[in-house]
Amino acid sequence: MAKLLYLRDIGPTEVGGFGISNASDLLLVEDIQLVEQVCSVVSVEFNDDSVADFFDKQVDAGRQPEQFARIWIHTHPGASPSPSGTDEETFDHCFGGVDWAIMHIIAEEGNTYTRARFNVGPGTERRLRCRTVFDTEFPASDHEAWFIEYCDNVTVYDPFSSRHTFAETFEDADWWERNASAADRWSDRLLEAGH
Protein backbone atom coordinates (compact mmCIF):
# COMPACT_ATOMS: atom_id res chain seq x y z
CA MET A 1 0.00 0.00 0.00
CA ALA A 2 2.86 2.38 0.80
CA LYS A 3 4.30 1.89 -2.70
CA LEU A 4 0.91 2.36 -4.35
CA LEU A 5 0.31 5.61 -2.47
CA TYR A 6 3.79 6.83 -3.40
CA LEU A 7 3.16 6.07 -7.09
CA ARG A 8 -0.25 7.75 -6.93
CA ASP A 9 1.22 10.96 -5.58
CA ILE A 10 4.53 11.24 -7.44
CA GLY A 11 3.15 12.69 -10.67
CA PRO A 12 0.14 14.42 -12.23
CA THR A 13 -1.05 11.45 -14.32
CA GLU A 14 -2.53 8.04 -13.88
CA VAL A 15 -0.01 5.26 -13.27
CA GLY A 16 -0.66 1.55 -13.73
CA GLY A 17 0.90 -1.76 -12.85
CA PHE A 18 0.33 -5.39 -12.01
CA GLY A 19 -0.36 -6.64 -8.50
CA ILE A 20 1.95 -9.41 -7.32
CA SER A 21 -0.05 -11.82 -5.15
CA ASN A 22 0.88 -14.20 -2.38
CA ALA A 23 1.09 -17.77 -3.73
CA SER A 24 -1.27 -19.16 -1.09
CA ASP A 25 -3.70 -16.20 -1.05
CA LEU A 26 -4.15 -14.71 -4.52
CA LEU A 27 -6.15 -11.76 -3.19
CA LEU A 28 -3.29 -10.72 -0.89
CA VAL A 29 -1.29 -8.30 -3.04
CA GLU A 30 2.27 -8.02 -1.77
CA ASP A 31 3.72 -5.68 -4.40
CA ILE A 32 2.88 -3.64 -7.47
CA GLN A 33 5.20 -3.74 -10.46
CA LEU A 34 5.29 -1.09 -13.17
CA VAL A 35 5.93 -1.78 -16.85
CA GLU A 36 6.80 0.77 -19.51
CA GLN A 37 3.76 2.95 -20.11
CA VAL A 38 2.55 6.23 -21.55
CA CYS A 39 0.35 8.05 -19.03
CA SER A 40 -1.97 11.02 -19.18
CA VAL A 41 -4.39 12.45 -16.63
CA VAL A 42 -7.08 10.10 -17.99
CA SER A 43 -5.29 7.01 -19.30
CA VAL A 44 -2.48 4.48 -19.04
CA GLU A 45 -1.16 2.65 -22.10
CA PHE A 46 1.22 -0.25 -21.44
CA ASN A 47 4.04 -1.08 -23.84
CA ASP A 48 3.36 -4.61 -25.15
CA ASP A 49 7.04 -5.62 -25.26
CA SER A 50 7.53 -4.43 -21.68
CA VAL A 51 4.51 -6.46 -20.54
CA ALA A 52 5.92 -9.55 -22.27
CA ASP A 53 9.31 -9.00 -20.58
CA PHE A 54 7.59 -8.58 -17.22
CA PHE A 55 5.67 -11.85 -17.71
CA ASP A 56 8.89 -13.69 -18.64
CA LYS A 57 10.69 -12.39 -15.55
CA GLN A 58 7.81 -13.41 -13.29
CA VAL A 59 7.73 -16.94 -14.72
CA ASP A 60 11.53 -17.15 -14.37
CA ALA A 61 11.08 -16.15 -10.70
CA GLY A 62 8.80 -19.18 -10.24
CA ARG A 63 5.46 -17.38 -10.12
CA GLN A 64 2.26 -18.62 -11.74
CA PRO A 65 0.24 -16.24 -13.99
CA GLU A 66 -2.46 -16.08 -11.29
CA GLN A 67 0.10 -14.36 -9.05
CA PHE A 68 1.16 -11.60 -11.44
CA ALA A 69 -1.24 -11.25 -14.38
CA ARG A 70 -4.72 -11.08 -12.88
CA ILE A 71 -4.79 -7.90 -10.81
CA TRP A 72 -4.61 -4.60 -12.69
CA ILE A 73 -3.93 -1.67 -10.38
CA HIS A 74 -3.89 1.96 -11.41
CA THR A 75 -4.26 5.41 -9.96
CA HIS A 76 -6.54 8.33 -10.71
CA PRO A 77 -5.12 11.83 -10.10
CA GLY A 78 -8.48 13.23 -8.96
CA ALA A 79 -10.77 12.28 -6.09
CA SER A 80 -12.96 9.86 -8.06
CA PRO A 81 -11.91 6.21 -8.27
CA SER A 82 -14.78 5.27 -10.58
CA PRO A 83 -13.58 3.53 -13.75
CA SER A 84 -13.71 5.57 -16.95
CA GLY A 85 -14.88 4.30 -20.31
CA THR A 86 -11.21 3.80 -21.22
CA ASP A 87 -10.69 1.78 -18.03
CA GLU A 88 -13.62 -0.45 -18.93
CA GLU A 89 -12.34 -0.97 -22.48
CA THR A 90 -8.87 -1.85 -21.17
CA PHE A 91 -10.28 -4.28 -18.61
CA ASP A 92 -12.41 -5.98 -21.31
CA HIS A 93 -9.63 -6.10 -23.89
CA CYS A 94 -6.69 -7.10 -21.71
CA PHE A 95 -8.37 -9.25 -19.05
CA GLY A 96 -11.45 -10.63 -20.82
CA GLY A 97 -9.73 -13.85 -21.87
CA VAL A 98 -8.54 -15.03 -18.44
CA ASP A 99 -10.60 -17.06 -15.97
CA TRP A 100 -10.68 -14.23 -13.42
CA ALA A 101 -9.30 -10.71 -13.05
CA ILE A 102 -9.49 -7.74 -10.73
CA MET A 103 -9.41 -4.02 -11.47
CA HIS A 104 -8.33 -1.85 -8.55
CA ILE A 105 -8.26 1.96 -8.73
CA ILE A 106 -6.99 4.28 -6.03
CA ALA A 107 -7.65 8.01 -6.22
CA GLU A 108 -6.71 10.95 -4.06
CA GLU A 109 -7.86 10.97 -0.44
CA GLY A 110 -7.65 7.15 -0.41
CA ASN A 111 -10.87 6.62 -2.37
CA THR A 112 -10.84 3.17 -4.00
CA TYR A 113 -12.79 1.08 -6.49
CA THR A 114 -12.23 -2.68 -6.72
CA ARG A 115 -14.11 -5.13 -8.94
CA ALA A 116 -13.60 -8.82 -9.65
CA ARG A 117 -14.65 -10.37 -12.95
CA PHE A 118 -15.11 -14.11 -13.41
CA ASN A 119 -15.04 -15.16 -17.07
CA VAL A 120 -15.75 -18.89 -16.58
CA GLY A 121 -19.17 -20.52 -16.63
CA PRO A 122 -21.93 -17.96 -16.89
CA GLY A 123 -19.48 -15.24 -15.82
CA THR A 124 -20.15 -12.58 -13.24
CA GLU A 125 -18.73 -9.41 -11.72
CA ARG A 126 -18.66 -8.29 -8.13
CA ARG A 127 -17.47 -5.22 -6.27
CA LEU A 128 -14.93 -6.02 -3.55
CA ARG A 129 -13.92 -4.20 -0.42
CA CYS A 130 -10.23 -3.46 -0.16
CA ARG A 131 -8.32 -3.39 3.10
CA THR A 132 -4.70 -3.14 4.17
CA VAL A 133 -3.40 -6.15 6.07
CA PHE A 134 -0.89 -5.31 8.78
CA ASP A 135 -0.39 -8.76 10.30
CA THR A 136 1.86 -10.12 7.53
CA GLU A 137 5.53 -9.52 6.80
CA PHE A 138 6.24 -6.65 4.43
CA PRO A 139 9.45 -4.87 3.43
CA ALA A 140 10.33 -1.37 4.52
CA SER A 141 9.42 1.55 2.27
CA ASP A 142 12.06 2.26 -0.36
CA HIS A 143 11.23 5.62 -1.93
CA GLU A 144 14.47 5.75 -3.88
CA ALA A 145 13.86 2.38 -5.58
CA TRP A 146 10.22 3.28 -6.26
CA PHE A 147 11.28 6.62 -7.73
CA ILE A 148 13.78 4.90 -10.05
CA GLU A 149 11.13 2.34 -11.10
CA TYR A 150 8.77 5.21 -11.88
CA CYS A 151 11.39 7.13 -13.89
CA ASP A 152 12.37 4.01 -15.83
CA ASN A 153 8.82 3.11 -16.83
CA VAL A 154 6.57 6.16 -17.02
CA THR A 155 6.34 8.50 -19.98
CA VAL A 156 4.07 11.47 -19.34
CA TYR A 157 1.86 12.39 -22.28
CA ASP A 158 0.96 16.07 -22.47
CA PRO A 159 -1.55 16.64 -25.31
CA PHE A 160 -0.43 20.26 -25.56
CA SER A 161 3.15 19.35 -26.43
CA SER A 162 4.82 16.01 -27.08
CA ARG A 163 5.41 12.91 -25.03
CA HIS A 164 7.95 13.35 -22.28
CA THR A 165 9.90 10.96 -20.18
CA PHE A 166 9.85 11.77 -16.50
CA ALA A 167 13.36 13.28 -16.72
CA GLU A 168 12.45 15.44 -19.73
CA THR A 169 9.43 16.77 -17.85
CA PHE A 170 11.75 18.30 -15.27
CA GLU A 171 13.52 20.21 -18.04
CA ASP A 172 10.29 21.57 -19.55
CA ALA A 173 9.69 25.03 -18.04
CA ASP A 174 6.26 25.35 -19.71
CA TRP A 175 5.10 22.12 -18.06
CA TRP A 176 6.09 23.47 -14.64
CA GLU A 177 4.03 26.64 -15.22
CA ARG A 178 0.94 24.70 -16.35
CA ASN A 179 1.18 22.17 -13.51
CA ALA A 180 2.26 24.16 -10.47
CA SER A 181 0.56 21.95 -7.85
CA ALA A 182 1.94 18.75 -9.36
CA ALA A 183 5.35 20.37 -9.65
CA ASP A 184 5.31 21.13 -5.94
CA ARG A 185 4.41 17.50 -5.18
CA TRP A 186 7.20 16.23 -7.47
CA SER A 187 9.73 18.57 -5.87
CA ASP A 188 8.78 17.28 -2.43
CA ARG A 189 9.11 13.67 -3.63
CA LEU A 190 12.52 14.39 -5.15
CA LEU A 191 13.72 15.85 -1.87
CA GLU A 192 12.35 12.87 0.06
CA ALA A 193 14.13 10.50 -2.31
CA GLY A 194 17.37 12.43 -1.94
CA HIS A 195 17.48 13.70 -5.56
Side-chain angles (χ1 to χ4, degrees), residues 1 4 8 71-76 78-85 87-88 91-92 101-117 124-131:
M1 181 56 82
L4 181 56
R8 179 197 66 187
I71 301 178
W72 172 42
I73 301 173
H74 71 281
T75 67
H76 279 183
S80 173
S82 298
S84 67
D87 293 337
E88 296 293 359
F91 197 45
D92 287 341
I102 293 175
M103 171 172 48
H104 177 74
I105 303 169
I106 187 164
E108 291 181 4
E109 301 173 11
N111 299 321
T112 62
Y113 176 95
T114 308
R115 187 173 83 226
R117 172 181 292 162
T124 188
E125 294 190 11
R126 180 179 175 115
R127 289 284 305 270
L128 302 175
R129 284 195 306 198
C130 180
R131 64 185 176 94

Side-chain angles (χ1 to χ4, degrees), residues 47-187:
N47 176 285
D48 290 340
D49 291 337
S50 183
V51 171
D53 289 343
F54 165 74
F55 280 24
D56 288 343
K57 288 176 185 173
Q58 295 301 310
V59 169
D60 291 345
R63 292 191 177 103
Q64 297 296 314
E66 293 79 14
Q67 290 179 259
F68 64 84
R70 296 293 185 270
I71 301 178
W72 172 42
I73 301 173
H74 71 281
T75 67
H76 279 183
S80 173
S82 298
S84 67
T86 302
D87 293 337
E88 296 293 359
E89 288 175 17
T90 300
F91 197 45
D92 287 341
H93 176 72
C94 298
F95 295 91
V98 296
D99 49 359
W100 65 272
I102 293 175
M103 171 172 48
H104 177 74
I105 303 169
I106 187 164
E108 291 181 4
E109 301 173 11
N111 299 321
T112 62
Y113 176 95
T114 308
R115 187 173 83 226
R117 172 181 292 162
F118 301 93
N119 297 317
V120 293
T124 188
E125 294 190 11
R126 180 179 175 115
R127 289 284 305 270
L128 302 175
R129 284 195 306 198
C130 180
R131 64 185 176 94
T132 304
V133 178
F134 293 103
D135 61 352
T136 61
E137 292 284 328
F138 55 90
S141 295
D142 190 346
H143 289 190
E144 185 171 354
W146 301 342
F147 181 78
I148 291 168
E149 182 179 351
Y150 180 88
C151 291
D152 287 346
N153 288 287
V154 174
T155 299
V156 174
Y157 175 71
D158 180 348
F160 300 107
S161 61
S162 60
R163 292 180 180 190
H164 295 286
T165 64
F166 185 79
E168 289 168 339
T169 299
F170 280 99
E171 298 168 2
D172 180 358
D174 292 336
W175 186 93
W176 287 93
E177 287 180 26
R178 289 193 310 273
N179 299 281
S181 65
D184 290 342
R185 268 199 329 245
W186 282 17
S187 296

Side-chain angles (χ1 to χ4, degrees), residues 29-41:
V29 177
E30 298 178 323
D31 195 5
I32 178 174
Q33 292 289 306
L34 302 182
V35 294
E36 291 181 21
Q37 56 196 278
V38 176
C39 303
S40 74
V41 293

